[in-house]
């Protein structure tokens, strides 16, 4: 039975049940009203009880916080356990905790211990353990912020990250996480331009192997794992472009604006998409440097982008085609008209506008690292709020949070209106198609 019909049948059944029970409910309504009235009349007498309840809630919250911290301490201890499985479980627990909570005060006095433990995992671990250690390192740097603490964490493990990333015999999974960690940690905590340039050069050396060789226009073919590594390296590289000085941007434009369009022919959909987004980012940075920026091969580039924005090849997966078309429509529109698609990110009572390719790359980078915890960090993490110009974290009481929540009935009304509007819009389009046929 179609979902819409099932829902319609359920609604009809619901009306019948309500009408049959109407007579019974009228008698109980008077009783409920009197109970509510007596409840409010005795509210003033129970003030002290409410205060005691609020106090007990605070005690419960403190107890929960202590329990969480005890578990985190145990996980930090287990990162140096002899058992590989125990270490991996501990690292995964830390990854989940760091991505979903802000723990600056807790980690401040334990960062050196944890950094040493992560260094051992990266040096002596294999594959999955190294990957998890690099992910936890990224989140630790994010928790510590851009101050001396974050810089200390980055500086101590930067050589090791580069060593694993450039080691062709290392696990591809570990190298993928190290590429992400190197880019994110450098973005957060790099103290000078030298650190930035060295990280850019390292990442460029990784994804550069996907670029076609001289005299060829076809990208070099690699295994899926290596293609994912090249994607991560290119993402991290493009993230670092957003904090590059203008002199460095000019060099990058001269060297890469001819190479990157060649990656649009890659057989990996994610590499094509990242290449397209990076090209749009470079164009945006170029226009910031020079308003009258002109790229000689714009027509050829737009032809490639248009083909990807309308790609309907059946040998590509449907989800890949849909994702590719959506992103390349935005890229093409920006290259042709200079307008970036605006996205609104809502979190709590606030919202943030992603209205440029620079902000889009920054937001996507944090979303890739934090996952579903990105909204919590946008609300509470001072580093992210500083990066996105959100100001200090809002201090909200329970009443304000409760008032901001939408009721189920309001959600239903909104969804119904949106569904009706969408149906009308699609009907108009279908009518036009019928006229053409």
């Amino acid at each position: 039975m179609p979902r819409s019909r099932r829902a319609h049948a359920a609604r009809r059944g619901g009306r019948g049940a309500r009408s049959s029970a109407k007579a019974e409910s009228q008698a109980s309504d008077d009783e409920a009203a009197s109970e509510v009235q007596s409840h409010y009349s005795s509210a003033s007498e129970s003030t002290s009880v409410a205060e005691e309840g609020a106090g007990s809630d605070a005690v419960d919250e403190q107890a929960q916080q202590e329990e969480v911290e005890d578990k985190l301490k145990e996980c930090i201890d287990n990162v140096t356990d002899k058992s590989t499985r125990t270490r991996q479980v501990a690292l995964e627990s830390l990854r989940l905790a760091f991505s979903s909570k802000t723990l600056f005060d807790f980690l401040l006095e334990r960062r050196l211990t944890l950094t040493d433990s992560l260094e051992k995992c990266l040096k002596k671990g294999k594959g999955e353990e190294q990957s998890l250690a690099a992910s936890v390192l990224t989140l630790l740097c994010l928790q510590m912020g851009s101050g001396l603490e974050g810089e200390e964490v980055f500086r101590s493990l930067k050589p090791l990250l580069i060593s694993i990333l450039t080691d062709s015999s290392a696990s591809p999974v570990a190298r993928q996480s190290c590429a992400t960690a190197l880019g994110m940690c450098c973005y957060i905590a790099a103290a000078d331009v030298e650190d930035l340039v060295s990280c850019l050069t390292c990442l460029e050396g990784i994804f550069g192997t996907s670029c076609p060789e001289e005299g060829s226009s076809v990208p070099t073919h690699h295994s899926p794992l290596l293609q994912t590594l090249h994607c991560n390296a290119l993402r991290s590289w493009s993230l670092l472009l957003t904090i590059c000085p203008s002199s460095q941007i000019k060099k990058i434009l001269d060297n890469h604006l001819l190479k990157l369009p060649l990656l649009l022919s890659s057989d990996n959909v994610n590499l094509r998409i990242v290449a397209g987004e990076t090209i749009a980012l470079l164009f945006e940075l170029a226009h910031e440097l020079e308003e009258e920026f002109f790229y000689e091969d714009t027509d050829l580039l737009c032809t490639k982008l248009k083909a990807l924005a309308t790609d309907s090849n059946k040998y590509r997966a449907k989800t890949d085609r849909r994702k590719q078309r959506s992103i390349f429509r935005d890229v093409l529109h920006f290259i042709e008209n200079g307008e970036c698609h605006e996205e609104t990110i809502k979190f709590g009572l606030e919202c943030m506008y992603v209205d440029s390719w620079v902000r889009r790359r920054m937001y996507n980078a944090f979303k890739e690292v934090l996952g579903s915890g990105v909204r919590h960090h946008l609300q509470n993490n001072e580093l992210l709020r500083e990066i996105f110009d959100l100001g200090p974290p809002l201090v909200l009481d329970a009443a304000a949070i409760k008032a901001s929540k939408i009721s189920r009935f309001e959600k239903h009304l909104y969804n119904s209106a949106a569904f009706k509007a969408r149906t009308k819009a699609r009907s108009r389009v279908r009518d036009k198609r019928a006229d053409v046929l």
Side-chain angles (χ1 to χ4, degrees):
M1 190 181 197
R3 186 184 301 171
S4 59
R5 292 185 184 175
R6 282 204 303 269
H8 184 58
R11 284 197 295 272
R12 283 188 299 173
R15 289 192 197 101
R18 282 195 294 272
S19 61
S20 63
K22 188 174 182 181
E24 297 177 8
S25 62
Q26 285 176 345
S28 60
D29 285 345
D30 297 334
E31 297 176 8
S34 62
E35 288 179 8
V36 171
Q37 191 174 1
S38 63
H39 168 75
Y40 281 106
S41 64
S42 61
S44 57
E45 299 174 6
S46 58
T47 304
S48 60
V49 177
E51 289 175 354
E52 289 177 8
S56 64
D57 288 344
V59 171
D60 291 343
E61 186 176 343
Q62 185 177 357
Q64 289 176 358
Q65 181 67 22
E66 290 175 356
E67 185 180 352
V68 168
E69 291 184 358
D70 288 341
K71 288 180 179 179
L72 287 173
K73 290 174 187 175
E74 184 180 350
C75 289
I76 292 173
D77 291 338
N78 287 342
V79 171
T80 55
D81 195 86
K82 292 182 179 179
S83 167
T84 302
R85 178 61 184 161
T86 302
R87 293 197 300 272
Q88 289 183 3
V89 170
L91 288 169
E92 178 63 19
S93 298
L94 290 175
R95 187 188 69 80
L96 292 172
F98 290 1
S99 61
S100 60
K101 300 178 184 297
T102 44
L103 300 161
F104 178 82
D105 294 331
F106 173 79
L107 291 171
L108 184 60
E109 58 186 21
R110 297 173 178 84
R111 68 185 188 282
L112 297 179
T113 302
L114 184 54
T115 302
D116 290 341
S117 301
L118 294 175
E119 183 177 5
K120 291 176 183 176
C121 291
L122 287 168
K123 280 183 176 178
K124 299 179 181 180
K126 302 292 182 184
E128 185 64 25
E129 183 180 345
Q130 288 178 308
S131 175
L132 285 168
S135 298
V136 173
L137 170 63
T138 306
L139 292 166
L140 175 61
C141 204
L142 194 150
Q143 293 274 355
M144 291 293 97
S146 57
L148 292 175
E149 298 84 3
E151 183 185 340
E152 188 178 31
V153 172
F154 171 58
R155 280 284 179 88
S156 62
L157 292 183
K158 175 192 166 190
L160 187 53
L161 290 175
I162 291 177
S163 174
I164 297 172
L165 180 57
T166 55
D167 183 3
S168 58
S169 63
S171 163
V173 176
R175 296 176 72 193
Q176 291 166 16
S177 293
C178 286
T180 301
L182 184 66
M184 181 59 77
C185 293
C186 181
Y187 177 83
I188 293 170
D192 50 48
V193 178
E194 290 180 4
D195 282 333
L196 177 62
V197 172
S198 64
C199 290
L200 282 169
T201 304
C202 176
L203 293 165
E204 181 186 333
I206 300 300
F207 74 80
T209 57
S210 276
C211 294
E213 298 176 359
E214 289 188 21
S216 172
S217 60
V218 180
T220 309
H221 180 73
H222 294 280
S223 68
L225 284 174
L226 284 179
Q227 286 177 331
T228 303
L229 168 63
H230 297 164
C231 283
N232 287 9
L234 184 53
R235 285 191 187 102
S236 291
W237 184 78
S238 62
L239 174 66
L240 295 182
L241 293 183
T242 63
I243 56 171
C244 272
S246 56
S247 58
Q248 192 67 29
I249 292 292
K250 289 179 180 177
K251 295 178 184 177
I252 289 169
L253 287 171
D254 294 338
N255 294 331
H256 290 86
L257 212 48
L258 294 174
K259 294 179 182 178
L260 286 173
L262 299 175
L263 290 179
L264 298 176
S265 303
S266 171
D267 59 351
N268 183 283
V269 63
N270 291 319
L271 191 54
R272 292 196 299 273
I273 288 172
V274 177
E277 291 176 329
T278 305
I279 290 169
L281 176 63
L282 281 174
F283 266 75
E284 185 173 271
L285 294 171
H287 281 294
E288 287 179 3
L289 288 176
E290 185 181 343
E291 286 188 14
E292 301 301 322
F293 169 76
F294 176 74
Y295 177 59
E296 293 180 358
D297 296 325
T298 300
D299 292 339
L300 179 60
L301 175 61
C302 287
T303 301
K304 283 185 177 181
L305 294 173
K306 197 170 294 183
L308 291 166
T310 57
D311 185 10
S312 59
N313 289 319
K314 297 296 182 183
Y315 66 85
R316 301 195 202 280
K318 186 183 289 187
T319 52
D320 288 348
R321 293 201 305 268
R322 187 184 299 118
K323 182 180 178 184
Q324 175 181 285
R325 287 197 296 262
S326 173
I327 290 175
F328 278 104
R329 279 196 296 268
D330 293 343
V331 174
L332 177 63
H333 184 70
F334 178 76
I335 300 296
E336 290 182 334
N337 305 308
E339 297 176 358
C340 181
H341 172 73
E342 185 176 294
E343 184 180 0
T344 303
I345 311 298
K346 294 181 179 180
F347 48 97
L349 300 179
E350 302 172 272
C351 67
M352 176 180 75
Y353 298 102
V354 180
D355 53 2
S356 68
W357 287 98
V358 168
R359 285 177 74 85
R360 188 168 179 167
R361 178 79 284 268
M362 289 156 52
Y363 173 70
N364 285 339
F366 284 106
K367 187 170 70 172
E368 287 154 13
V369 170
L370 294 167
S372 60
V374 67
R375 282 176 167 76
H376 171 81
H377 280 267
L378 284 170
Q379 284 181 274
N380 302 289
N381 190 312
E382 293 183 2
L383 171 69
L384 266 68
R385 296 188 69 85
E386 180 183 348
I387 288 171
F388 292 107
D389 299 321
L390 298 172
L394 299 182
V395 180
L396 300 173
D397 56 11
I401 295 173
K402 187 176 181 180
S404 69
K405 292 183 178 179
I406 302 174
S407 69
R408 185 177 296 180
F409 180 65
E410 288 173 325
K411 284 183 182 178
H412 171 70
L413 291 177
Y414 173 80
N415 291 334
S416 298
F419 176 76
K420 189 174 181 180
R422 187 166 59 246
T423 303
K424 285 183 177 179
R426 289 178 177 174
S427 297
R428 285 195 294 270
V429 173
R430 291 190 185 106
D431 291 343
K432 288 178 183 177
R433 286 178 182 170
D435 293 340
V436 171
L437 293 173

